[in-house]
Amino acid sequence: MTARTIWIDGELVGWDEATVHVTSFGLHYGIGFFEGIRCHSTPDGPAIFRLTDHLRRLQRSAAVYGFDLPRPVEEMAHACKLVVSANGLTDCYLRPLVFLGDGANPFTARLRTVVIATANGPLTGPPKQDGVRARISSFQRMSPNSIPSAAKATGQYLNSFLAQTEALSCGYDEAIMLNDSGRVADGWAHNVFIVAGGALVTSPVGAGGLPGITRDSIMTLAAEAGVAVRVQDLVRSDLYLADECFLTGTSAGVVPVTSVDGRGIGAEKPGPLTVSLNDRLTEITHGIVDAYPQWREYVG
Ligand code: PMP
């Protein structure tokens, strides 16, 4: 099913009518905030994974830049459900986007609000569950005193774009970025985890990563399974020497990393903890088990 309508500033309009003026400041200066959210088919109908948590992150992203969301979280949640049901979608990707529109100048222009639903999302390529080859980027992750990584802001993806296009042009699948202290900061669109000595370890958000919703879910599920979960600074050799390494993000899910900079990780195939956490997350997102009902927000 292809989406035919988009929600913009409070109403559903036809796909081709959802246009903005070329003078919109969001387009010129990258001033905008967005989310990527997945909706899954479940035995009880389509359920949006952690919808409210995503929309609260959108609210926090805007707050970092001194904005209030122009529409309350409850209205945005309604809009997300509406674009799924109005387009007859089940398994799909939702893109709420708040951006600076046109006006006399960027300091007085008003924010516009959009929710787009698509079957797959913009970043979906071939399945990555067999594992990916990652590269440490030569581009550093932006520092928190230049562009705060706690916000999911449109302009910050220039940094991600540089890193990922470099990785692809060098024959790798995914870029991992370090911060200006040489610590692992984030993937270009994912959080980074390793398994070392039986523990699950990820970098602190303060190292330059986005506070990922998938990251938080995986840490919760690992702790529930009795795995020690640690948040600590990582350097690139921690990745090289890990027993397992994986990336997490809404778009790609849990992505096993089989090599970093050409050095094989563990057995160079998806590791057992990576696979079991991915399986557990999938059965929860798809409502195959009753666990974590608060994470499934039904389109209804
Ligand atoms: N880091 C970056 C830079 C991202 O763009 C994303 C995708 N939103 C993530 C991490 C993962 O976040 P989430 O699990 O909430 O999708």
Side-chain angles (χ1 to χ4, degrees):
M1 185 71 82
T2 310
R4 295 174 310 275
T5 54
I6 288 176
W7 186 93
I8 179 159
D9 294 329
E11 55 180 335
L12 274 183
V13 303
W15 188 271
D16 294 335
E17 281 76 58
T19 56
V20 296
H21 201 270
V22 290
T23 57
S24 296
F25 290 111
L27 192 58
H28 294 234
Y29 303 127
I31 304 168
F33 320 100
F34 69 106
E35 281 299 318
I37 313 177
R38 279 217 178 267
C39 181
H40 303 276
S41 51
T42 78
D44 299 316
I48 305 177
F49 186 64
R50 300 189 66 172
L51 171 63
T52 306
D53 291 331
H54 275 283
L55 294 175
R56 290 209 181 105
R57 185 173 67 185
L58 182 69
Q59 193 173 36
R60 289 198 298 274
S61 296
V64 167
Y65 286 81
F67 291 103
D68 289 325
L69 284 187
R71 310 252 164 192
V73 162
E74 296 71 27
E75 186 181 352
M76 297 287 298
H78 171 72
C80 289
K81 293 176 182 176
L82 192 63
V83 290
V84 176
S85 57
N87 286 295
L89 295 165
T90 48
D91 289 278
C92 61
Y93 182 88
L94 290 164
R95 167 55 53 82
L97 168 67
V98 173
F99 64 95
L100 207 56
D102 49 354
N105 70 63
F107 304 103
T108 55
R110 77 182 172 102
L111 289 173
R112 312 284 308 273
T113 312
V114 169
V115 182
I116 306 160
T118 52
N120 289 314
L123 303 178
T124 307
K128 297 182 168 170
Q129 299 319 313
D130 291 341
V132 295
R133 300 167 61 248
R135 168 195 157 97
I136 303 292
S137 182
S138 74
F139 290 100
Q140 275 174 10
R141 183 77 169 151
M142 65 229 169
S143 84
N145 272 336
S146 53
I147 304 270
S149 63
K152 191 168 169 64
T154 54
Q156 76 184 43
Y157 283 82
L158 288 173
N159 185 226
S160 290
F161 190 80
L162 287 171
Q164 181 63 358
T165 51
E166 176 191 63
L168 294 174
S169 68
C170 294
Y172 293 84
D173 305 308
E174 299 290 339
I176 292 175
M177 283 184 279
L178 306 181
N179 62 23
D180 52 13
S181 308
R183 310 279 193 249
V184 174
D186 214 4
W188 69 282
H190 315 92
N191 294 121
V192 182
F193 283 89
I194 63 167
V195 179
L200 183 68
V201 189
T202 191
S203 311
V205 164
L210 183 78
I213 307 280
T214 322
R215 173 184 185 269
D216 178 72
S217 309
I218 286 293
M219 290 164 76
T220 303
L221 297 180
E224 179 203 45
V227 176
V229 179
R230 291 205 305 269
V231 176
Q232 68 180 53
D233 274 327
L234 296 170
V235 291
R236 67 198 294 165
S237 54
D238 293 322
L239 306 189
Y240 295 168
L241 300 174
D243 299 318
E244 299 179 36
C245 178
F246 62 87
L247 309 172
T248 60
T250 296
S251 191
V254 175
V255 178
V257 175
T258 47
S259 70
V260 176
D261 294 343
R263 290 151 177 86
I265 308 297
E268 295 186 50
K269 58 180 192 188
L273 188 58
T274 307
V275 171
S276 73
L277 288 171
N278 185 37
D279 289 349
R280 178 75 175 140
L281 182 63
T282 304
E283 62 185 18
I284 291 167
T285 56
H286 288 72
I288 295 161
V289 292
D290 289 335
Y292 299 94
Q294 71 278 19
W295 286 356
R296 289 180 297 276
E297 298 182 42
Y298 288 94
V299 171

